Amino acid sequence: MPERTTLADLTDRPHAEVFETPRPRTVRLSLDADERIPRHTHEDSNVVFHLLSGRLELTLDDETHTLDAGELIRFSGDRAVSPYAVEPSTAVVVFA
């Protein structure tokens, strides 16, 4: 049976689990302007980060990538990641 939801139904902040099924883990990330998630890793995962709205700077180890709405970035979860919202931002992040 397929699982179906909308982003508007996801209210937990800053992370909201999209589906009850843990694999692949899928979350909606919502950040206010000037909000940052501290450096962390998602070991043993590959990460797809899709910025739906806003603008953010995604630091991976010592590299910073600026993302605009509609852009996706894929990276190894072994890298240290820290998203920083330049403006209010919403993303869907998949850990596979």
Side-chain angles (χ1 to χ4, degrees):
M1 175 71 101
E3 293 179 71
R4 187 175 178 165
T5 191
T6 67
L7 292 178
D9 290 337
L10 306 173
T11 58
D12 291 344
R13 288 189 44 88
H15 300 94
E17 298 288 336
V18 175
F19 300 113
E20 291 180 19
T21 306
R23 290 286 180 203
R25 182 175 180 215
T26 307
V27 298
R28 188 262 305 130
L29 175 66
S30 180
L31 300 173
D32 293 327
D34 203 36
E35 186 175 3
R36 177 183 302 276
I37 302 292
R39 282 174 63 111
H40 62 285
T41 61
H42 296 279
E43 294 182 13
D44 301 322
S45 293
N46 289 307
V47 181
V48 176
F49 191 105
H50 181 192
L51 187 61
L52 300 173
S53 65
R55 181 180 177 95
L56 61 79
E57 295 174 353
L58 188 71
T59 301
L60 298 172
D61 296 327
D62 296 325
E63 305 168 357
T64 300
H65 304 269
T66 301
L67 297 176
D68 292 308
E71 293 186 313
L72 291 93
I73 189 167
R74 180 179 62 190
F75 56 92
S76 169
D78 294 332
R79 297 186 73 180
V81 60
S82 176
Y84 168 74
V86 176
E87 57 188 56
S89 300
T90 300
V92 170
V93 188
V94 178
F95 307 90

